[in-house]
């Protein structure tokens, strides 16, 4: 177990590393949608198209994601801050707060995201107190009219306009 000092430094270092924000969803074995806010998301491969994300072993939906055949990664749009908070909270019925539907891949897809990647689960890797889920991308939707959300220093929101100014 690392010392508290190392844990604090680790959190400080990674909390200062800007990332995007995603909501990852799947259906339970009973067909009920589950999802959570995730910023541990990355591309893995172009051929085939693959992505990964990780889930904490303490999350209530862990078993549902481990048993699922696939998942949908929603790269949130800058204005989806309330959705980000809801899916990061203990809110029981997160899907009642947003518009969504089941896709042809039988995955819950939330409307108005910057992008949605529907994935077939390829592999799961146990890593410390998390499980890394690797998915092969089956379908991609991108709304190029939107800007993605940014997470930095425990804050999230749209990418600031001055970022685009040269």
């Amino acid at each position: 177990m690392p010392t508290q000092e190392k844990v604090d430094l680790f959190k400080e270092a990674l909390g200062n590393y800007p990332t995007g924000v995603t909501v990852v969803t799947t259906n339970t074995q009973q067909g009920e949608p589950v999802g959570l806010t995730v910023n541990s998301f990355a591309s893995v491969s172009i051929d085939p198209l693959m992505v990964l994300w990780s889930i904490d072993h303490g999350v209530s939906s862990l078993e549902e994601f481990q048993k699922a055949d696939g998942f949908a990664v929603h790269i949130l749009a800058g204005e989806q801050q309330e959705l980000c908070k809801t899916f990061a909270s203990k809110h029981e019925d997160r899907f009642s707060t947003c518009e969504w539907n089941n896709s042809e891949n039988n995955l819950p897809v939330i409307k108005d995201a910057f992008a949605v990647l529907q994935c077939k689960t390829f592999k799961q890797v146990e890593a410390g107190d998390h499980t890394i889920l690797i998915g092969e991308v089956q379908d991609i939707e991108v709304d190029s009219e939107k800007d993605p959300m940014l997470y930095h220093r425990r804050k999230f929101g749209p990418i600031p306009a001055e970022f685009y100014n040269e």
Side-chain angles (χ1 to χ4, degrees), residues 145-160:
E145 298 293 315
K146 297 180 185 279
D147 287 325
M149 186 178 293
L150 178 69
Y151 177 75
H152 184 241
R153 293 187 176 172
R154 304 187 58 83
K155 294 182 181 169
F156 51 89
I159 297 173

Side-chain angles (χ1 to χ4, degrees), residues 1-163:
M1 180 78 176
T3 65
Q4 188 59 50
E5 180 183 10
K6 281 189 181 177
V7 169
D8 292 344
L9 288 171
F10 184 81
K11 288 180 177 180
E12 181 181 350
L14 296 184
N16 280 291
Y17 178 69
T19 66
V21 183
T22 66
V23 166
V24 182
T25 61
T26 196
N27 281 315
T28 67
Q29 299 292 306
Q30 295 75 34
E32 296 296 318
V34 293
L36 68 159
T37 299
V38 171
N39 76 329
S40 60
F41 167 73
S43 65
V44 173
S45 171
I46 295 294
D47 186 17
L49 295 174
M50 292 183 147
V51 296
L52 67 76
W53 65 284
S54 64
I55 184 169
D56 187 305
H57 289 163
V59 170
S60 62
S61 57
L62 172 67
E63 188 175 332
E64 304 300 347
F65 280 101
Q66 289 176 323
K67 289 181 177 178
D69 293 331
F71 53 86
V73 178
H74 303 76
I75 300 174
L76 296 185
E79 68 272 3
Q80 290 183 297
Q81 295 172 9
E82 286 306 310
L83 183 74
C84 176
K85 289 179 191 176
T86 299
F87 278 80
S89 74
K90 302 282 185 201
H91 193 278
E92 287 293 317
D93 187 8
R94 296 169 178 165
F95 287 86
S96 68
T97 66
C98 61
E99 286 188 58
W100 67 278
N101 59 17
N102 266 318
S103 70
E104 291 178 8
N105 296 312
N106 194 33
L107 292 169
V109 172
I110 299 169
K111 294 186 184 223
D112 298 324
F114 167 73
V116 180
L117 293 88
Q118 295 183 57
C119 303
K120 178 181 171 188
T121 301
F122 173 76
K123 190 172 196 174
Q124 297 180 32
V125 179
E126 297 298 313
D129 58 4
H130 281 64
T131 297
I132 300 166
L133 289 108
I134 301 170
E136 186 172 347
V137 179
Q138 305 293 300
D139 190 30
I140 305 171
E141 298 171 33
V142 178
D143 185 344
S144 56
E145 298 293 315
K146 297 180 185 279
D147 287 325
M149 186 178 293
L150 178 69
Y151 177 75
H152 184 241
R153 293 187 176 172
R154 304 187 58 83
K155 294 182 181 169
F156 51 89
I159 297 173
E162 60 268 13
F163 181 81

